[in-house]
């Protein structure tokens, strides 16, 4: 400026909106059908509702073995290489999030944990604070589960190691992850068989 004062350039924000993704592209071989279809779509609705009510700014659903109309307000991410493994779905989710402006991070959940509700999502988001540098994971009686928060600073590096049957686990094991106990709110159990 002409008067000699210097205006600082704005720094990139350390926080931002949290996007939610339901991982639901698999065939559900042990279950006997794609779990995105389970209980006439009730599991998918429950997962997207938990993300929305828990505070996610926008929601997407990965699809592959079965492609359905996404719940109202959610975006369908069709994963053509879904048969390669969970890594294909996670890659699609992180790529989608990385292309969105103002993102602090992405919260990944799975379609087959129907008792994980908005209260669990809120607890994970509260710990993450939408911070770009954080990694946060729900644990249930000490057992790692979903949802998992991946801050925006980790999206690119995580995409470099995720492939095939390798989801975000390999990346998370090599980083400092904040574990948040949620066993008082849900079992967090994946439902793999029909009973």
């Amino acid at each position: 400026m002409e008067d000699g004062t210097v205006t600082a350039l704005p720094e990139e924000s350390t926080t931002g909106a949290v996007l939610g993704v339901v991982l639901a592209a698999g065939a559900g071989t042990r279950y006997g059908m794609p779990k995105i279809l389970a209980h006439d779509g009730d599991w998918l609705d429950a997962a997207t509702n938990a993300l929305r009510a828990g505070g996610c700014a926008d929601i997407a659903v990965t699809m592959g073995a079965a492609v359905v109309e996404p719940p109202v307000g959610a975006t369908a991410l069709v994963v053509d290489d879904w048969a390669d493994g969970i890594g294909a779905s996670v890659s699609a989710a992180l790529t989608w999030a990385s292309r969105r402006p103002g993102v602090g991070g992405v919260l990944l959940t799975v379609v087959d944990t129907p008792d994980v509700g908005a209260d669990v999502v809120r607890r994970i988001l509260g710990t993450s604070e939408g911070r770009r540098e954080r990694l946060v994971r729900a644990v249930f009686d000490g057992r790692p589960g979903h949802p998992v928060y991946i801050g925006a600073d980790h999206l690119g590096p995580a995409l470099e190691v995720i492939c095939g049957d390798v989801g975000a686990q390999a990346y998370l094991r090599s980083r400092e992850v904040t574990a948040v106990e949620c066993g008082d709110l849900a079992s967090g159990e994946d439902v793999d068989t029909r009973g």
Side-chain angles (χ1 to χ4, degrees):
M1 297 181 68
E2 290 182 16
D3 64 3
T5 60
V6 177
T7 304
L9 294 174
E11 293 182 24
E12 186 171 335
S13 176
T14 58
T15 62
V18 178
L19 306 178
V21 178
V22 180
L23 302 174
T29 306
R30 286 174 295 192
Y31 189 74
M33 65 187 290
K35 294 178 187 176
I36 196 170
L37 304 173
H39 296 267
D40 296 321
D42 287 348
W43 284 5
L44 177 59
D45 288 339
T48 54
N49 288 338
L51 292 176
R52 184 176 296 109
C56 291
D58 205 356
I59 299 163
V61 179
T62 66
M63 304 179 188
V67 176
V68 300
E69 187 70 27
V72 174
T75 299
L77 298 178
V78 178
V79 182
D80 293 329
D81 55 347
W82 65 268
D84 290 350
I86 188 68
S89 286
V90 175
S91 291
L94 300 189
T95 299
W96 173 73
S98 69
R99 293 178 177 159
R100 305 288 300 275
V103 170
V106 61
L107 190 75
L108 303 176
T109 195
V110 289
V111 72
D112 61 352
T113 54
D115 76 336
V116 171
D119 48 358
V120 174
V121 172
R122 273 191 293 275
R123 188 173 286 178
I124 301 305
L125 290 187
T127 301
S128 77
E129 298 179 319
R131 297 189 64 85
R132 297 177 57 89
E133 77 282 3
R134 292 207 175 144
L135 294 167
V136 182
R137 162 164 241 167
V139 297
F140 300 89
D141 297 324
R143 179 183 45 81
H146 288 86
V148 175
Y149 173 85
I150 300 176
D153 290 350
H154 297 278
L155 297 179
L159 281 165
E160 292 176 10
V161 300
I162 294 170
C163 64
D165 275 336
V166 178
Q169 299 302 330
Y171 184 79
L172 295 173
R173 277 194 292 271
S174 67
R175 301 292 188 279
E176 183 178 332
V177 179
T178 302
V180 178
E181 181 57 58
C182 297
D184 59 318
L185 301 175
S187 75
E189 293 284 344
D190 296 349
V191 180
D192 281 334
T193 57
R194 284 190 262 189

